[in-house]
Amino acid sequence: KKHLNDEEERTVKKYRMMLGMNVPVAAVRQKMEQDEIPGHLIDHLCGGASPKAKKKKAPAPGAKAAEPEAAPPIVLSAEEEKVAKKYRTMLKMCVPSGAVRNKMTMEDVDPKIMEALLGPDPSAPKPKPPRPPPSAEKPYKMTAEDEKGVKKFRMMLKMSVPAGAVR
């Protein structure tokens, strides 16, 4: 592994500290790209070629691999960053993320900002898988014995007894 000169070390010092504070590698890489840090320094610190590079090289043996990204990071406007600053400080002070999320909810913070800082809401309902079309379901064929058992309930429905009462 190539060593950096003093000037390069001064350039990456801030980003090394971010990694030391457990900021995700992908976030540090994005910040370095945003700050227009030379690519070789980004690769040196973040372990591997940029995801934007056409040809990806394998990370050095023993180097920590970049974390997989589920979705591209959310970019906040300058105004949104002002709002987010307060909550970033709370997170840096080790306030539990659930408490920060609750505080943001109480203060009606834009969900985009919440997701940018804390990720997707773990308590949000998961989307249900789509039901198969009715033509794909097999109709149930009742036996004669089943028909005898259901006869009195059908009679109740014919007599306008509410379905909830019949169940």
Side-chain angles (χ1 to χ4, degrees):
K1 202 171 191 180
K2 180 186 151 202
H3 293 285
L4 302 177
N5 64 36
D6 291 341
E7 182 183 335
E8 291 172 329
E9 276 298 335
R10 281 192 298 276
T11 303
V12 299
K13 180 181 179 186
K14 165 179 152 181
Y15 307 103
R16 262 191 223 287
M17 286 179 23
M18 289 173 70
L19 290 171
M21 290 190 285
N22 295 324
V23 175
V25 175
V28 174
R29 177 182 293 280
Q30 181 184 12
K31 179 66 175 158
M32 291 177 81
E33 288 171 353
Q34 190 177 33
D35 293 345
E36 298 179 357
I37 303 299
H40 73 281
L41 295 178
I42 296 172
D43 293 344
H44 180 81
L45 191 63
C46 297
S50 167
K52 294 179 182 176
K54 290 181 183 175
K55 185 178 177 185
K56 293 185 178 183
K57 63 180 181 182
K64 197 173 187 181
E67 296 175 8
E69 292 185 47
I74 299 171
V75 180
L76 301 177
S77 68
E79 187 176 310
E80 291 170 330
E81 283 293 342
K82 288 178 186 176
V83 174
K85 183 179 179 183
K86 170 183 176 181
Y87 304 104
R88 276 202 181 95
T89 304
M90 290 173 71
L91 291 168
K92 285 181 185 176
M93 301 297 282
C94 298
V95 175
S97 60
V100 175
R101 184 179 297 279
N102 189 34
K103 179 81 169 164
M104 293 174 85
T105 302
M106 289 173 53
E107 295 179 357
D108 290 324
V109 174
D110 183 0
K112 175 185 173 188
I113 299 171
M114 290 173 64
E115 189 167 338
L117 290 178
L118 303 168
D121 186 0
S123 65
K126 304 282 187 265
K128 293 181 181 179
R131 292 189 66 178
S135 61
E137 295 177 10
K138 289 197 284 185
Y140 178 73
K141 188 83 168 171
M142 291 205 305
T143 64
E145 190 175 313
D146 289 339
E147 283 289 341
K148 286 180 186 175
V150 208
K151 185 177 181 181
K152 66 179 177 183
F153 299 108
R154 285 202 176 122
M155 183 63 75
M156 291 170 72
L157 291 172
K158 282 183 181 178
M159 294 171 30
S160 301
V161 175
V166 174
R167 291 180 193 244

